[in-house]
């Protein structure tokens, strides 16, 4: 039969396939697998799609002992599927179990013969297979010839099937994103009105001199509190907008973490002074150059400094610039605030995945500072590390790995 495999396709292979020539998509796959079993003598036939990691096969259509079955998937290692997707075809006229002793399915179903053809994408990469299996030894070439004749058509149908799946997934994600955006904006618009109404109401009373004495100071304090809440909300909205910045916007430029620490020190002084907190500036004076996006890193630093001031009532906030023994460069913000439990820290470090997730985090009071900082650092191939202990404070580290650290004589431009 091996010699026959190298000859041109006999007319009978194509003539059998003419029965299903008018079908497309899933109807074609189902008709093909049924035909291979009922007309060509196979016991099991399927059209399968390889997983993205190329380690599993998942059936699109499976005909097994006289009926179509539900989707099945299995690892292809140590099975004839692996041979199928790595060669022009896989043919075992008999004793396929002996060739693949680790394939428990072949043994369980007493499969004797196996025929499989790979199905390729436009780049010539195998993306699936069409396979027929028999419990009897193959005595002629008709099953092989039929599969070979079906290969090209089935390949086109599988490409189309995969493209449709990708399109559906993309469309579904786009619709979900648009819906979550709409819901986010509707909810946020409602939330914006609450502090604005309070600010306008209290300010109007003061303007119209409807209150006097100690009440003026009390109402002014309410205005400040509402303003701070509004500022937090706007900051969260801006953080969420940062999610839509693509990875390509992160720059790769040389900048100095020590200089950035000085900038952060200046920018946070006013907020700290309002709470009578002391900012301890970085003691390092010599430059520590890294490769990344200075704007992203500045935003990340301000997120951490703002959080530190917000959750610290007594003590100080320190900024440190260090170089670890492994060569990493680190810009740290350390506070003596309330700290976080492990559960709260885990929740605060959940990645921002969509608008609903962001809105829920805002509602729960965890804010978006930490997850947004994680995004900003990740897009530079750097990372955020956070340590916290209840009652003792929090340490946030913006870490640039050794391959992003630049020595003065590196000559990076």
């Amino acid at each position: 039969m091996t010699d026959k495999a190298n000859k041109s396709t006999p007319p009978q292979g194509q003539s059998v396939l003419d029965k299903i020539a008018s079908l497309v998509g899933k109807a074609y796959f189902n008709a093909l697998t049924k035909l291979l079993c009922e007309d060509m003598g196979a016991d099991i036939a399927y059209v399968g799609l390889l997983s993205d990691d190329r380690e599993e096969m998942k059936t699109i259509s499976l005909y097994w002992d006289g009926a179509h079955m539900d989707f099945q998937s299995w690892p292809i290692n140590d099975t004839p599927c692996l041979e199928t997707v790595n060669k022009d075809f896989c043919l075992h006229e008999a004793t396929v179990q002996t060739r693949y002793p680790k394939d428990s399915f072949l043994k369980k179903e007493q499969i004797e013969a196996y025929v499989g053809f790979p199905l390729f994408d436009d780049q010539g990469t195998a993306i699936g297979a069409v396979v027929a299996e028999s419990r009897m030894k193959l005595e002629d070439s008709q099953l092989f010839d039929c599969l070979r004749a079906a290969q090209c058509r089935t390949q086109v149908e599988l490409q189309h099937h995969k493209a449709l799946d990708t399109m559906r997934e993309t469309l579904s994600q786009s619709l979900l994103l648009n819906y979550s955006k709409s819901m986010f904006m509707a909810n946020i618009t409602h939330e914006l009105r609450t502090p604005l109404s309070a600010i306008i109401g209290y300010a109007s009373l003061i303007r119209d001199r409807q209150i006097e004495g100690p009440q003026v100071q009390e109402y002014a304090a309410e205005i400040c509190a509402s303003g701070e809440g509004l500022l937090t909300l706007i900051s969260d909205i801006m953080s969420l907008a940062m999610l839509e910045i693509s990875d390509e916007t992160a720059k790769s430029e040389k900048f100095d973490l020590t200089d950035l620490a000085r900038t952060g020190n200046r920018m946070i002084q006013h907020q700290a002074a309002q709470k009578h907190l002391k900012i301890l500036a970085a003691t390092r004076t010599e430059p520590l150059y890294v490769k990344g996006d200075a704007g992203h890193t500045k935003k990340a630093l301000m997120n951490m400094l703002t959080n530190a001031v917000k959750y610290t009532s007594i003590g100080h906030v320190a900024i440190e610039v260090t170089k670890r023994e492994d060569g990493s460069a680190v810009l740290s913000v350390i506070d003596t605030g309330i700290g976080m439990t492990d559960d709260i820290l885990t929740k605060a470090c959940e990645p921002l995945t969509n608008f609903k997730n962001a809105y829920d985090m805002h509602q729960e009071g965890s804010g978006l500072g930490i997850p947004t900082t994680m995004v900003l650092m990740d897009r530079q191939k750097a990372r955020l590390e956070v340590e916290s202990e209840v009652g003792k404070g929090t340490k946030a580290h913006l870490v640039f790995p050794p391959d992003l650290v630049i020595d003065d004589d590196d000559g990076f431009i």
Side-chain angles (χ1 to χ4, degrees):
M1 179 173 170
T2 304
D3 292 337
K4 294 179 181 180
N6 295 323
K7 296 180 180 180
S8 59
T9 304
Q12 64 178 12
Q14 185 58 55
S15 64
V16 172
L17 293 173
D18 287 343
K19 298 179 181 180
I20 61 174
S22 63
L23 301 176
V24 296
K26 186 62 182 294
Y28 167 80
F29 294 136
N30 285 343
L32 174 62
T33 53
K34 182 177 180 181
L35 179 149
L36 289 170
C37 291
E38 295 192 350
D39 290 18
M40 294 289 102
D43 293 298
I44 300 171
Y46 65 85
V47 177
L49 184 66
L50 271 177
S51 60
D52 291 339
D53 60 10
R54 306 182 62 80
E55 292 184 358
E56 290 190 349
M57 183 73 74
K58 179 179 180 180
T59 59
I60 295 174
S61 177
L62 171 63
Y63 198 79
W64 187 342
D65 289 341
H68 281 108
M69 308 293 289
D70 293 335
F71 296 140
Q72 303 281 337
S73 63
W74 62 91
I76 66 172
N77 196 32
D78 296 321
T79 75
C81 284
L82 183 62
E83 182 181 350
T84 302
V85 298
N86 285 301
K87 292 185 176 181
D88 293 336
F89 62 85
C90 177
L91 172 62
H92 296 282
E93 300 170 78
T95 63
V96 67
Q97 294 180 48
T98 304
R99 180 69 183 272
Y100 293 95
K102 294 183 179 180
D103 190 333
S104 59
F105 176 81
L106 297 177
K107 183 176 181 180
K108 178 182 177 182
E109 293 299 320
Q110 293 299 302
I111 300 300
E112 182 74 11
Y114 177 101
V115 184
F117 278 82
L119 304 174
F120 302 97
D121 61 14
D122 291 336
Q123 286 71 46
T125 302
I127 57 173
V130 54
V131 172
E133 299 174 336
S134 174
R135 296 186 178 95
M136 303 291 292
K137 177 182 177 180
L138 297 184
E139 300 293 344
D140 56 49
S141 66
Q142 68 171 2
L143 184 59
F144 178 90
D145 292 338
C146 186
L147 275 170
R148 183 170 61 177
Q151 181 186 22
C152 185
R153 168 68 191 282
T154 309
Q155 181 171 288
V156 172
E157 291 292 343
L158 186 63
Q159 291 174 2
H160 184 63
H161 173 86
K162 189 172 183 180
L164 283 176
D165 271 359
T166 301
M167 189 181 353
R168 290 190 194 100
E169 183 178 351
T170 301
L171 180 60
S172 177
Q173 290 176 349
S174 297
L175 291 173
L176 181 61
L177 178 60
N178 284 331
Y179 175 76
S180 61
K181 278 185 178 180
S182 298
M183 292 301 296
F184 177 84
M185 293 310 299
N187 289 326
I188 286 296
T189 299
H190 174 74
E191 285 196 43
L192 285 169
R193 291 177 179 174
T194 302
L196 281 173
S197 296
I199 291 171
I200 293 171
Y202 287 124
S204 296
L205 291 174
I206 295 174
R207 179 197 63 192
D208 298 338
R209 298 183 179 179
Q210 296 184 31
I211 54 173
E212 296 180 355
Q215 276 191 311
V216 174
Q217 186 175 359
E218 180 184 339
Y219 282 21
E222 292 293 339
I223 292 173
C224 288
S226 296
E228 290 172 357
L230 185 61
L231 180 63
T232 299
L233 179 56
I234 292 172
S235 177
D236 280 357
I237 294 173
M238 294 302 295
S239 296
L240 183 59
M242 186 63 69
L243 282 176
E244 299 202 297
I245 298 177
S246 65
D247 292 347
E248 287 75 20
T249 60
K251 299 176 183 177
S252 182
E253 58 189 4
K254 177 180 178 179
F255 65 95
D256 179 16
L257 288 183
T258 303
D259 184 60
L260 194 61
R262 296 191 193 101
T263 301
N265 183 20
R266 291 193 299 270
M267 294 181 69
I268 203 66
Q269 284 291 345
H270 178 68
Q271 286 180 248
Q274 289 181 317
K275 296 187 69 174
H276 307 290
L277 295 175
K278 186 175 182 180
I279 300 295
L280 303 181
T283 56
R284 182 186 178 99
T285 56
E286 62 272 21
L288 181 53
Y289 293 109
V290 296
K291 179 172 63 175
D293 191 309
H296 278 25
T297 308
K298 180 180 177 181
K299 174 63 177 174
L301 175 62
M302 290 310 300
N303 284 344
M304 296 300 93
L305 285 171
T306 300
N307 272 3
V309 171
K310 179 179 179 180
Y311 294 109
T312 303
S313 299
I314 300 175
H316 63 265
V317 174
I319 305 174
E320 293 184 358
V321 179
T322 56
K323 190 170 183 179
R324 292 178 176 173
E325 291 184 0
D326 66 357
S328 300
V330 185
L331 178 56
S332 303
V333 175
I334 303 169
D335 65 59
T336 57
I338 59 175
M340 292 178 278
T341 64
D342 290 342
D343 289 343
I344 293 176
L345 180 58
T346 299
K347 182 67 176 177
C349 291
E350 286 184 0
L352 286 171
T353 55
N354 54 48
F355 282 78
K356 183 180 184 304
N357 169 246
Y359 180 73
D360 290 344
M361 294 178 77
H362 170 80
Q363 284 289 84
E364 292 169 7
S366 59
L368 304 179
I370 290 179
T372 304
T373 298
M374 292 168 63
V375 173
L376 291 167
M377 297 304 293
D378 181 67
R379 288 178 178 172
Q380 302 176 75
K381 311 301 181 186
R383 67 182 183 275
L384 169 68
E385 296 177 357
V386 183
E387 311 168 48
S388 192
E389 187 174 349
V390 176
K392 293 188 177 181
T394 300
K395 299 178 181 179
H397 310 288
L398 307 180
V399 183
F400 290 82
D403 60 313
L404 295 181
V405 179
I406 303 169
D407 294 328
D408 289 339
D409 56 356
D410 277 358
F412 180 83
I413 299 177

